[in-house]
């Protein structure tokens, strides 16, 4: 059964400490939360600073639209479109879903506007129905699903579970010490959902304390998958894999157990996070394609942030209350770069997929563009409850409010499952 502490961001801390310490610990932790999932130092990225998603008046040519069409073989491209008004509003509330973690529970944390809840994603050339939880669960009888990645995957799994929760409450059947990897079961449907914490997808030694503050650089093995997900891979029927911003952290890279370079460190040559990300995706896709296991694997592209007037560490904020219109926004350099690598590696994987006799069905879930149009969907200041808000120094413009835009990702996933 769900624990009483389910609203807390970090249950193990709460179990151990007294109330006031907890408060301090949790608030410090929340700083860590953002700290952890963003860059671990001010000098981390080599790209230009903060060319944030500010609406630009020139029409943005969707340069790769044509290419994406090819990947979708004539079917309507689910990922090109707009956010349209949806009077139906969210599937669940801060009250009906017991597993929304505090930092994403914007309503509960006092976010005053609610307009951001009344939008849904509309592909340009077709309509995608709203997620049908009952139909979905029926389809998923005796199946198992895994979300593999970083805190955005955790964000996503919570949205997914909250929607299904309307039909049946899930039972938590596993969690690791830090509640980072978890598993739930829907008893009437014998449907299992796993969340696997693997922010870099590869074998990594992460030296962070519980506040997300790095005590030393991450050691990342570019030639080894993270066994945490790879060892369980064959037990899943559906998998959503994702990489993302963790690759921007200070990392020392290893191959064959030897240092081959690093990103933002001293003492080893700069390897380039892009080269490392490319290598990681290649290893992951090769593994998926060469596996005998029959499954649907969706690779979710990186989720963009919307810090404006600074970065997370320099007072960046996100106060918008409505989506951008298609074509009115340009991806930040770093997000564009990541998405490009993701697409290039995915396309190579598709080629080897058609050449081999793989049984896997690997698809791309191109969330970057549609998410980039939702500057209004982040907790910002409302990542914690504090009446005066004086203590909230770091805004969260990376994760997403729940309910919020992530709920629409599930509409698309259902469509992808039905199409597969
Ligand atoms: C949910 O949010 C509403 C405001 O939208 C608030 O009045 C209510 O107290 C919240 N409930 C919980 C359990 O946080
Ligand atoms: C539940 O589903 C799993 C596969 O996910 C299967 O191995 C097991 O036999 C199922 N249990 C029942 C009672 O049908």
């Amino acid at each position: 059964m769900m624990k009483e502490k389910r609203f807390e961001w970090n249950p193990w801390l709460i179990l151990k400490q007294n109330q006031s310490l907890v408060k301090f610990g949790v608030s410090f932790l929340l700083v860590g939360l953002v700290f952890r999932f963003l860059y671990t130092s001010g000098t981390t990225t080599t790209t230009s600073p903060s060319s944030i998603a500010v609406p630009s008046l020139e029409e943005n040519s969707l340069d790769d639209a044509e290419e994406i069409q090819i990947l979708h073989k004539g079917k309507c491209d689910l990922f090109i479109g707009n956010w349209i008004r949806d009077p139906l509003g969210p599937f669940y509330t801060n009250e009906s879903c017991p597993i929304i973690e505090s930092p994403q529970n914007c309503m509960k944390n006092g976010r005053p506007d609610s307009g951001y809840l009344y939008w849904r994603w509309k592909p340009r050339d077709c309509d995608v129905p709203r997620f049908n939880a009952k139909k979905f669960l029926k389809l998923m009888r005796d199946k198992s699903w895994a979300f593999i990645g970083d805190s955005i995957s955790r964000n996503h799994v919570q949205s997914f579970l909250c929607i299904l929760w309307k039909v049946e409450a899930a039972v938590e059947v596993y969690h690791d010490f830090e509640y980072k990897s978890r598993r739930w079961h829907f008893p009437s449907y014998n449907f299992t959902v796993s969340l696997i914490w693997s922010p870099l997808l590869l074998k990594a030694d992460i030296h962070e304390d519980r506040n997300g503050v790095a005590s030393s650089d991450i050691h990342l093995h570019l030639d080894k998958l993270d066994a945490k997900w790879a060892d369980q891979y064959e037990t899943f029927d559906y998998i959503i894999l994702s990489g993302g911003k963790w690759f921007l952290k200070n990392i020392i890279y290893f191959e064959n157990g030897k240092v081959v370079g690093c990103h933002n460190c001293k003492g080893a040559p700069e390897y380039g996070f892009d080269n490392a990300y490319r290598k990681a995706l290649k290893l992951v896709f090769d593994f998926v394609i060469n596996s005998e296991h029959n499954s649907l694997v969706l690779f979710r592209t990186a989720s963009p942030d919307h810090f404006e007037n600074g970065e997370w560490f320099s007072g960046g904020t996100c106060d918008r209350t409505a989506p951008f219109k298609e074509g009115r926004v340009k991806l930040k350099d770093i997000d564009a770069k990541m998405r490009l690598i993701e697409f290039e590696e995915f396309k190579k994987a598709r080629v080897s997929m058609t050449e081999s006799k793989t049984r896997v069905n690997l698809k791309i879930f191109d969330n970057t563009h549609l998410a980039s149009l939702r500057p209004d969907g982040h907790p910002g200041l409302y990542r914690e409850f504090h009446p005066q808000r004086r203590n909230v120094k770091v805004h969260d413009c990376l994760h997403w409010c729940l309910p919020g835009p992530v709920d629409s990702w599930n509409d698309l996933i259902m469509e992808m499952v039905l199409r597969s």
Side-chain angles (χ1 to χ4, degrees), residues 46 133 166 230 271 281 302 362 409:
T46 47
K166 302 276 277 185
Y271 191 86
L281 294 185
L362 174 66
W409 297 3

Side-chain angles (χ1 to χ4, degrees), residues 312-325:
W312 70 269
F313 51 85
S314 55
T317 57
C318 41
D319 299 331
R320 293 177 191 269
T321 54
F324 291 138
K325 279 260 173 282

Side-chain angles (χ1 to χ4, degrees), residues 249-310:
K249 293 187 171 223
N250 299 359
I251 302 182
I252 300 174
Y253 304 112
F254 290 76
E255 270 176 52
N256 278 324
K258 292 205 178 69
V259 175
V260 291
C262 69
H263 181 54
N264 275 321
C265 72
K266 295 180 191 81
E270 173 68 39
Y271 191 86
F273 87 86
D274 45 342
N275 293 325
Y277 195 37
R278 203 177 275 288
K279 266 215 158 127
L281 294 185
K282 180 168 171 21
L283 199 67
V284 169
F285 290 150
D286 279 351
F287 172 80
V288 165
I289 289 167
N290 291 319
S291 155
E292 305 269 288
H293 182 55
N294 179 7
S295 58
L296 175 64
V297 179
L298 307 181
F299 179 75
R300 180 178 57 70
T301 59
S303 182
D305 67 75
H306 290 93
F307 289 95
E308 292 185 62
N309 308 310

